[in-house]
Amino acid sequence: MIAATKTFSPYQLKVINLMSHVQDDQEMSEISDLLSNYFAEKAIREADRLWSEGMVGESTIEEWKHEHMRTSY
């Protein structure tokens, strides 16, 4: 078990502890895919909600295509 620090939330610590049981690259790849799919689906549902409520439309999507959201250094 990893010692709790103020850096990680309880949820993050739970994930870290679960990940300590990963045995190989294949398992890690499968878990990564599961997590990626989960967050992608969540983002899609939210985008669909914004679209259906009229908060986002085609003009907004077009604006986003041309935005540069890079971190300035």
Side-chain angles (χ1 to χ4, degrees):
M1 181 123 174
I2 294 177
T5 66
K6 293 183 181 184
T7 306
F8 296 109
S9 74
Y11 304 112
Q12 291 167 322
L13 288 171
K14 185 167 184 148
V15 170
I16 290 168
N17 287 326
L18 289 169
M19 296 303 290
S20 71
H21 300 286
V22 173
Q23 299 294 317
D24 55 45
D25 289 341
Q26 180 65 31
E27 286 181 4
M28 188 67 234
S29 177
E30 291 172 7
I31 291 168
S32 293
D33 289 346
L34 285 169
L35 288 170
S36 295
N37 290 336
Y38 169 79
F39 286 110
E41 285 296 322
K42 203 171 168 179
I44 289 168
R45 281 192 306 273
E46 181 63 11
D48 287 345
R49 183 187 69 78
L50 292 172
W51 185 277
S52 67
E53 291 179 4
M55 299 174 75
V56 171
E58 287 185 46
S59 62
T60 307
I61 303 297
E62 285 300 315
E63 288 175 23
W64 287 348
K65 284 183 186 179
H66 304 289
E67 277 188 26
H68 296 283
M69 302 174 91
R70 297 184 183 138
T71 303
S72 57
Y73 295 97

